[in-house]
Amino acid sequence: MTKPITMIPELENNTSFMLGLAYKQFRTIANQTLAIECDITLEMLGALRVLAHLGEVPQQALAEALRRERSVTKRLVDNCIKRDLVEVRKSELNKKARYLVLTKKGVEVKDKAHQQLSALVDDFYSPLTTQERGLILSLCKKLIRDDIFLTGE
């Protein structure tokens, strides 16, 4: 028998509420650690990971990879630029296009944050078996829709 979490049956038996609560707890723990250790947020780490993987890309490509609206992505990029993690380059062909690339500091911070987050993930998911972790991942992928982009929270 699992322990009660809210003591309110309508919430206790609501999958969306519980999924959201688990994510919010993880995000809180991760953001606290990343802020102290690396001066970044979980969202900023996501942006650094995308740029490390894709290389120099237009800001729109970053927004699409993160599945976030452009305005939210612009604020995210601005915060990365302020910390000297990302550099903006202008396109020779399209002067309005902003191309983003990681700085040397951005690569270093991404690597350090990745190590910090890996330890957090292992601890957070420790109550689950490897098979349960895989099941949660596959179920979440089934729920994610292609036509919805995230707004700021």
Side-chain angles (χ1 to χ4, degrees), residues 24-44:
K24 287 173 186 170
Q25 286 185 351
F26 175 77
R27 182 179 162 160
T28 297
I29 294 165
N31 278 331
Q32 287 172 349
T33 299
L34 292 175
I36 292 167
E37 300 295 329
C38 304
D39 189 32
I40 64 170
T41 64
L42 198 53
E43 288 77 15
M44 292 168 77

Side-chain angles (χ1 to χ4, degrees), residues 11-114:
L11 296 177
E12 200 72 29
N13 297 314
N14 185 307
T15 303
S16 296
F17 178 81
M18 288 296 167
L19 190 59
L21 185 58
Y23 170 70
K24 287 173 186 170
Q25 286 185 351
F26 175 77
R27 182 179 162 160
T28 297
I29 294 165
N31 278 331
Q32 287 172 349
T33 299
L34 292 175
I36 292 167
E37 300 295 329
C38 304
D39 189 32
I40 64 170
T41 64
L42 198 53
E43 288 77 15
M44 292 168 77
L45 176 57
L48 299 179
R49 286 174 164 174
V50 169
L51 293 174
H53 182 76
L54 297 179
E56 185 174 320
V57 295
Q59 187 166 307
Q60 181 60 34
L62 176 63
E64 290 169 5
L66 293 172
R67 312 222 16 101
R68 302 190 65 87
E69 289 183 348
R70 287 188 333 212
S71 61
V72 175
T73 303
K74 183 180 181 328
R75 283 192 303 274
L76 178 63
V77 167
D78 289 346
N79 286 325
C80 288
I81 292 168
K82 286 178 192 172
R83 289 169 173 79
D84 191 33
L85 305 173
V86 171
E87 176 179 290
V88 177
R89 297 186 181 154
K90 295 288 182 183
S91 168
E92 295 294 321
L93 303 173
N94 180 356
K95 297 297 181 192
K96 288 185 178 183
R98 288 172 51 136
Y99 282 81
L100 308 173
V101 63
L102 282 180
T103 63
K104 182 180 178 196
K105 181 180 176 186
V107 172
E108 292 167 358
V109 168
K110 180 197 75 70
D111 291 343
K112 180 179 180 184
H114 175 76

